[in-house]
Amino acid sequence: MFWYEDADGDGFGSNARSSTGCQAPPGFVASNTDCDDSSPGVNPGSVELCDSANTDEDCDGLRNEGCQCSGIGSTRSCCSGRGVQTCQGDDAGASFSSCTASVSAEICNGVDDDCNELIDDLPVSDGGVSVDGGQVGLSCSVGVGACRRSSFEVCQAGSLVCPTDAGIPSSETCNGIDDDCNGMTDEASNLCSSIAGQACVAGQCACPAGQSTCGSACRTLGGNCSVGVGACRRTGNDVCQAGAVTCSSTAGMPTTETCNGIDDDCNGMTDDGANLCGSIAGQACIAGACACPSGQSVCGAACRTIGGSCAVGVGACRRMGADVCRSGAVTCDATAGTPGVESCNGIDDDCDGLTDEAGPGLCPASGQSCSGAACECPSGQVVCGSACVGLGGSCTVGTGGCARTGADTCSNGAITCSAVAGTPGEERCNGVDDDCDGLIDEVGFGLCPVTGQICGGGSCTCPSGQVACDGVCTALVTCVSDRDNDLYAGGTVTTQYCPNPARAAAGFCPVTFVGLAASLGSDCNDADPARYRIANIAVDIDADLYCGGPAESRCIGATLPANTRFATECRSNNDCNDLDPARYQIMTLRTDADGDGYCINPSAQSCQGASPPSGLRLATTCLGDDCRDTNFFANTTCSIPWGTTSATKSCGIGPPPSETFMVSVNQPSIAGCPIGFRLTSFTARQTSGSITGFCIAANLSGTAIRMDCPGPSFGSFTCRTTGECTPD
């Protein structure tokens, strides 16, 4: 039989753990229907509670069944969120209280106005009557034109909706209906395309007012019309014949063109013949009649100008008269004058057709010419004496620096210069003849302002490699920057300056500069005169010649910074205590308190001076591990003086602090314990030999052993004494 663990002890188990057997093991039951075996209040025998934890207490798969609400005191919104309801009662039965919202008649607004848990629950009307005091139930429509459909308003999702769909648009035709449902009626431009010019008016295709259909277009008929031009023109009315508009009359027949103001030959031009007035030359057909041009009259067989002004002769002989018609010809009624002598007056005095032509005595001065009825010299000249000469031109008097420029003038009938020569001055080097002697820049005192300068090409220059310095040609000095004026160069860029006599130590260079040859070296800090050289230095605070760190390159002056020295003076750069001159090196040491060369304790490093402290020694000098570091004689193998021989003491035989030692001798003597030990016990015995004897070991002083080995021949046997030396 199967048994199921009942973990919560409520008489119902679960499938979490099971067992088989004839009897139920402790804590197991036959039922496996517990849905929460960790809670004794949850099992098929429990009563469902209205709890906020929403627990299935009776294990029926349903939670809070029969409960309107769970969680006493919890709330929920009601009437579309306008109010709240509170869960009240107990776990055995809970329900919500009435809604706190106000109640009103239901309208279409997406809100539960009457608090019946239904939103917008309005009746449906199809009679066009309002069911909510508003628009619901009233007539409505969708679409326009031919697509318009009607219905009655309904409420959906809190909004008014007309529950129908618009019709489907069709192509627009000329019928007074909005066929394509775009809000415009008969709006297309090609609704009446079969007859050109027709338009859709009031739902019908028609020609414009005053026109009729003629063929495939609208035409204007019955109006006045004409055919032909000039004398052939005939009038009628527009009529429609064979689908086209034509005039009802026929044009007349053309005749020969004459000068009568009529288009006799019907070519569109009036009086257009070439010889309409051929009997009088010059006449033309004007306004249907033959006539001479305005201002002319018939004279002989042609049109002539009569009465106009006329002249005979030329120059001073010319006389004016009037044109007259004599014997069928036009002539002047004046008579020419008598010629005279030609003069420069702009008149043809000799009546030869030439005015002021060249000839003897035409102008009074030589070089003059007659122009514009007046005698004139050539451009830029005037009459001076009896001839034309050029005045106003540039002229010069004097030489060199005395030369002066003026203009040519006429004085007393002769040409003279208006300028006056200047006064000679002192000769200077300027490319000018200052003293007006015909020589330029000739050698003389004061020719150049700077001592040593040479005049050439009108300017004073110093010899090559020199410049003017304080009035004397001097060679420049080459300088480099020395901003702190410590005679150490602060750079490599050179500049040339006039020498400064007051700065000989600086190579005659100006302040903040030093000459290349005068420089004491390169300046590592050109802004500080106290620092100018690079040195490798190291820190040595305790001045023991052992430096406390690696050397570094620093900019210094004449003296070293405090607590430093030159790196070359350092015996090492590893001072382990730079504050104590007695300690400067790391030693690896071991303890040797008794000074026997044998050491104890592991090696350790420490900062020391020239030698290890008392009781310590360099680990590399230890002879081995010491068995007793308080006894000079006790080490790995100790030699104890025994008369004139040595006796061997073996260390480490007994447990500390006692040590066992053995002494072998071949003569009586006294042996003592090692320093720092005292004798505590001893025995003596004969160990070998053919002669009977015995050894007597006596404690003489508590620290010494005396061995007496009686017998006639001491060398025939050996006495051995054993004792304990204990630290004192």
Side-chain angles (χ1 to χ4, degrees):
M1 183 174 178
F2 282 96
W3 305 96
Y4 302 94
E5 183 181 24
D6 180 13
D8 55 7
D10 59 359
F12 296 88
S14 69
N15 290 320
R17 291 183 62 191
S18 61
S19 178
T20 58
C22 295
Q23 293 183 345
F28 283 72
V29 296
S31 172
N32 65 345
T33 58
D34 198 334
C35 57
D36 184 357
D37 205 28
S38 64
S39 175
V42 178
N43 55 68
S46 295
V47 177
E48 188 72 16
L49 301 178
C50 299
D51 60 331
S52 57
N54 203 22
T55 303
D56 180 14
E57 286 88 358
D58 56 4
C59 294
D60 62 353
L62 302 176
R63 302 175 186 272
N64 292 347
E65 65 268 24
C67 300
Q68 187 181 17
C69 60
S70 61
I72 305 303
S74 62
T75 61
R76 70 175 182 181
S77 63
C78 57
C79 292
S80 300
R82 296 187 298 110
V84 294
Q85 290 177 299
T86 303
C87 186
Q88 56 190 10
D90 53 30
D91 286 341
S95 62
F96 279 110
S97 65
S98 299
C99 188
T100 60
S102 60
V103 179
S104 61
E106 193 75 12
I107 60 174
C108 182
N109 56 3
V111 176
D112 182 12
D113 303 287
D114 55 5
C115 293
N116 65 351
E117 304 303 325
L118 299 175
I119 296 174
D120 296 342
D121 52 325
L122 298 169
V124 178
S125 171
D126 59 0
V129 178
S130 172
V131 297
D132 66 344
Q135 296 295 319
V136 177
L138 298 183
S139 297
C140 62
S141 65
V142 295
V144 295
C147 301
R148 186 174 184 272
R149 300 292 184 269
S150 298
S151 184
F152 300 100
E153 295 280 3
V154 296
C155 184
Q156 291 183 3
S159 299
L160 290 172
V161 176
C162 193
T164 186
D165 296 323
I168 299 174
S170 60
S171 298
E172 193 75 11
T173 60
C174 181
N175 56 5
I177 299 173
D178 179 12
D179 303 288
D180 54 5
C181 307
N182 64 352
M184 296 182 290
T185 302
D186 298 343
E187 76 279 4
S189 60
N190 59 349
L191 296 182
C192 300
S193 58
S194 59
I195 303 297
Q198 279 190 333
C200 184
V201 180
Q204 293 183 342
C205 291
C207 288
Q211 291 189 353
S212 303
T213 302
C214 183
S216 59
C218 293
R219 306 291 185 181
T220 300
L221 301 179
N224 294 328
C225 61
S226 64
V227 293
V229 295
C232 301
R233 182 176 183 274
R234 302 293 185 269
T235 61
N237 300 106
D238 289 326
V239 295
C240 182
Q241 292 182 355
V245 178
T246 185
C247 194
S248 60
S249 63
T250 302
M253 297 299 294
T255 60
T256 301
E257 192 74 14
T258 61
C259 181
N260 56 4
I262 298 173
D263 179 15
D264 302 293
D265 55 4
C266 305
N267 65 351
M269 294 182 290
T270 301
D271 298 340
D272 57 325
N275 296 311
L276 297 182
C277 301
S279 59
I280 302 298
Q283 279 190 331
C285 184
I286 299 173
C290 291
C292 287
S294 177
Q296 291 189 355
S297 302
V298 176
C299 183
C303 291
R304 304 291 184 179
T305 300
I306 305 297
S309 177
C310 61
V312 293
V314 295
C317 301
R318 187 173 184 270
R319 300 293 184 269
M320 299 300 294
D323 288 328
V324 297
C325 183
R326 292 176 181 173
S327 302
V330 178
T331 184
C332 190
D333 61 358
T335 302
T338 303
V341 177
E342 193 73 16
S343 63
C344 184
N345 56 5
I347 298 173
D348 180 11
D349 302 290
D350 56 2
C351 306
D352 61 356
L354 302 174
T355 302
D356 297 341
E357 67 270 23
L362 191 63
C363 288
S366 174
Q368 280 186 324
S369 61
C370 184
S371 176
C375 288
E376 296 178 350
C377 288
S379 177
Q381 294 186 1
V382 296
V383 175
C384 185
S386 61
C388 290
V389 296
L391 297 180
S394 177
C395 60
T396 304
V397 294
T399 61
C402 300
R404 299 294 184 270
T405 301
D408 290 329
T409 62
C410 182
S411 178
N412 298 323
I415 299 175
T416 183
C417 190
S418 64
V420 178
T423 303
E426 184 180 354
E427 191 73 14
R428 297 294 182 192
C429 180
N430 55 8
V432 178
D433 180 12
D434 302 287
D435 54 6
C436 309
D437 62 354
L439 301 175
I440 298 174
D441 297 343
E442 66 268 26
V443 177
F445 178 77
L447 193 64
C448 289
V450 177
T451 302
Q453 280 187 328
I454 301 170
C455 182
S459 62
C460 293
T461 57
C462 288
S464 177
Q466 296 183 3
V467 296
C469 294
D470 297 329
V472 181
C473 287
T474 309
L476 296 176
V477 291
T478 301
C479 307
V480 293
S481 174
D482 181 17
R483 292 183 298 158
D484 53 11
N485 296 304
D486 59 359
L487 300 184
Y488 284 85
T492 59
V493 178
T494 60
T495 308
Q496 289 189 320
Y497 293 95
C498 287
N500 185 344
R503 286 179 54 81
F508 303 101
C509 288
V511 176
T512 70
F513 287 90
V514 65
L516 289 175
S519 174
L520 300 179
S522 297
D523 199 332
C524 54
N525 188 336
D526 202 27
D528 184 357
R531 292 187 290 166
Y532 47 79
R533 59 173 177 158
I534 295 293
N536 286 332
I537 62 175
V539 176
D540 184 13
I541 300 174
D542 54 12
D544 59 357
L545 296 180
Y546 290 88
C547 298
E552 62 179 11
S553 180
R554 293 174 60 181
C555 184
I556 66 172
T559 59
L560 288 168
N563 299 322
T564 64
R565 66 175 58 254
F566 290 111
T568 55
E569 298 175 347
C570 295
R571 293 177 180 174
S572 78
N573 294 94
N574 300 311
D575 194 334
C576 53
N577 189 337
D578 203 27
L579 300 177
D580 184 357
R583 291 187 289 169
Y584 47 80
Q585 61 177 328
I586 296 294
M587 292 184 177
T588 303
L589 305 175
R590 294 187 66 187
T591 303
D592 182 15
D594 56 9
D596 61 357
Y598 291 86
C599 305
I600 64 172
N601 300 330
S603 60
Q605 289 186 331
S606 63
C607 185
Q608 302 295 335
S611 58
S614 177
L616 299 174
R617 70 169 50 250
L618 294 173
T620 56
T621 65
C622 290
L623 300 176
D625 294 331
D626 202 333
C627 62
R628 182 66 63 188
D629 199 36
T630 57
N631 189 343
F632 175 83
F633 299 101
N635 44 58
T636 303
T637 300
C638 303
S639 294
I640 300 176
W642 185 273
T644 59
T645 64
S646 295
T648 300
K649 170 188 176 293
S650 299
C651 296
I653 297 175
S658 297
E659 293 181 353
T660 300
F661 69 92
M662 293 180 294
V663 180
S664 296
V665 298
N666 55 12
Q667 64 179 7
S669 183
I670 297 174
C673 284
I675 296 173
F677 292 83
R678 60 185 176 83
L679 186 66
T680 56
S681 62
F682 61 89
T683 59
R685 61 188 179 87
Q686 181 177 339
T687 59
S688 64
S690 60
I691 300 176
T692 301
F694 59 89
C695 295
I696 299 174
N699 184 357
L700 299 181
S701 61
T703 60
I705 302 172
R706 188 182 73 180
M707 298 182 62
D708 294 323
C709 297
S713 176
F714 178 74
S716 62
F717 66 92
T718 300
C719 286
R720 174 171 292 172
T721 299
T722 301
E724 294 290 335
C725 286
T726 304
D728 192 359

